Amino acid sequence: MKSLKSDINLILKGLSEIKTIRGGLIALTVIKSIFTALSPFVNIYMSAAIISSLAQKQPFAKAVYLAVITVSLNLLVALITSALNHIMNIRQEEFDARYDMKLNQKSMSLDYIAVEDPKTHQLLEKINTFRSMTGGGLRRLLVSFQELITNLFTVIFSVTLTASLFTSFSSDGEGIAGFISSPWFSLILIAAIFLNIIISMYSNVTVTDKMYAIMNDFIPFNRIFEYYLSEYISSYHAGKDIRIYNQKELIKSESMALLDDAYGVIDKISRNQIKYSAMITVSTVTLSALTYLFVGLKALAGFFAVGAIVQYIGSISQFTTGFTGFVTEFAVLRSNNEALRIYFAFMELPNEMQMGSRQIHKKDMNEYEIEFRNVSFRYPGSETYALKNLNLKFHIGKRMAIVGMNGSGKTTMVKLLCRLYDPTEGEITLNGTDIKEYDYKEYMELFSVVFQDFTLFPFSLGQNVSADMEYNGQEASDCLEKAGFSERIKRMPRGLDTALYKDFEEDGIEISGGEAQKIALARALYKDAPIFILDEPTAALDPIAEYEIYSRFNEIVGDKTTIYISHRLSSCRFCDEIAVIHNGSLIQRGSHEELVADRDGKYYEMWNAQAQYYSE
Ligand code: ADP
């Protein structure tokens, strides 16, 4: 019973979530359900009235009058239903779009630590699998809720119209006539109605359960097909590989093999459905034969006018459908709760990062100093430390370099500095105060970082540079020019409005890796934060090109604080101060000349090992 209660609570919670996403949708659903349920009863009730009027030899005009009312009522209900349908369709589309937005917003506002956590990916994948396979989740809730309410009103209307049938008894008559008049006769019919309902429900539930079980076998097919279709084939970048390695045949035979197996699953689903729907049909036909007999005999015994036969038979059949539908839909809602649970688990993922409230005084950034105090860090789920007891102090206003071999912890250090992660141990301070205490948003304003794996959007060039819908065109152009993109922009058909890539715009342009780097640099310049960090966005370039870009950037930013990161020592030798990181700790520090003079140091060792690449 407790689980029923918690199931109902979850359903209510889901409904209230739907309400928050698109207000008015639930109220509209209820109104529409009432009209949908009402529609068949208009005909049942009015046909009974017309037949009774004819049977009682009332003036023909009365029957005509009733027929006109019937048609008008039908028309009215149909008009209202179609108007409601129209509004519902629009609202549902809006709901779908906002639902997606809500999931996206949540993904984007998660702590970065959760973004990289495989558990988060699994939750999102489950939400999407439920949605694509069974429409499960909030959408299913909305549809089933509508069915549930429609069925509920069908039951209410049909009980209202049949109540008089079961309460019309008399104590006259003996033998058969007496039995027909007695409450026993009614009880038999009621028992038969519920027997039919039980059979139908059993069949529906079994068919759905079995279908879900079979559907599970289908998930891998779906996932693979979806991958081929929506990711691999439709990503035009894959087009090159498909052609060069003749992957067409591979994908085709892979798909055909999958299809053979998939047919087996589809066959199972359809056999399962046929078996149980046959059971329902036999039971329903038997029940209606019994109903005809019952109502007919009662009418013969003179309990009611002949027109009421239509009303009773129609209503009983509606009752059976309504009641079965109600219970079945409720079961569907309960099984859909699994999808709701996953949805809420994702939406309620906590953000545990301390957001702080301390203001940063932006008087003169040159007065500030940043310090790593005994900082150690382990990635979630990782045994080894990426940073171990790192101590490093630097003054803003200088050109700093952080060098070290691949995997030594340089990027991790940047991620900690930019509060993508918080240290496992130790603290990072800005002017003596733990960075966690500063207002998170304000703190994030301090940094313009270009990571090695930066991403650009398939939006316009201007929007990419400004990271905004509205932007200052002149400034965006200036930044692009500084980043060395001015020649390329002259050849772009719509200048700053030109879309990157062809995902959204037909006339979008393809850009090379080097051009993408320039745009990413321009984006960092446009943000104009007090501290720039270049974390090897140039790793794909050769050492000389990287050196050129780094020193060029150095000229562009003037006396702004910049932290240059590289595993290539030559790129950073112009910096005032170079910190050498090894195995997650600071091992050396000084100017290039000082460091290279220390013959026992790591810097000297690396410098010599790399010298062959750039002996001038
Ligand atoms: P660098 O920037 O110096 O090349 P990183 O800071 O990227 O080095 O990596 C430091 C160490 O942390 C490496 O051993 C790397 O494998 C590990 N590491 C980096 N990112 C992750 C991550 N997201 N999860 C687990 N380990 C990671």
Side-chain angles (χ1 to χ4, degrees), residues 116 379 382 386 405-413 415 421 536:
E116 280 196 347
Y379 281 97
S382 171
M405 300 200 296
N406 279 326
S408 56
K410 303 180 298 294
T411 300
T412 306
M413 210 190 124
K415 286 183 184 166
Y421 291 103
E536 302 192 89

Side-chain angles (χ1 to χ4, degrees), residues 417-455:
L417 180 60
C418 300
R419 294 213 64 202
L420 292 173
Y421 291 103
D422 284 334
T424 317
E425 289 141 38
E427 61 173 4
I428 304 169
T429 57
L430 170 66
N431 244 16
T433 302
D434 193 325
I435 56 173
K436 290 190 210 167
E437 291 183 18
Y438 290 104
D439 178 87
Y440 178 79
K441 253 183 105 181
E442 213 175 285
Y443 182 77
M444 293 302 271
E445 302 266 301
L446 297 182
F447 301 96
S448 270
V449 190
V450 191
F451 283 106
Q452 186 171 335
D453 53 353
F454 64 84
T455 339

Side-chain angles (χ1 to χ4, degrees), residues 164-170 179-183 185-186 291-305 309 312:
S164 54
L165 170 66
F166 294 101
T167 49
S168 50
F169 314 122
S170 97
F179 181 63
I180 290 169
S181 327
S182 73
F185 195 38
S186 300
T291 315
Y292 272 105
L293 187 70
F294 179 85
V295 178
L297 286 176
K298 277 252 188 188
L300 273 180
F303 278 101
F304 40 74
I309 297 179
Y312 291 141

Side-chain angles (χ1 to χ4, degrees), residues 396-409:
I396 293 174
K398 288 195 171 173
R399 280 139 235 290
M400 238 335 254
I402 296 167
V403 299
M405 300 200 296
N406 279 326
S408 56

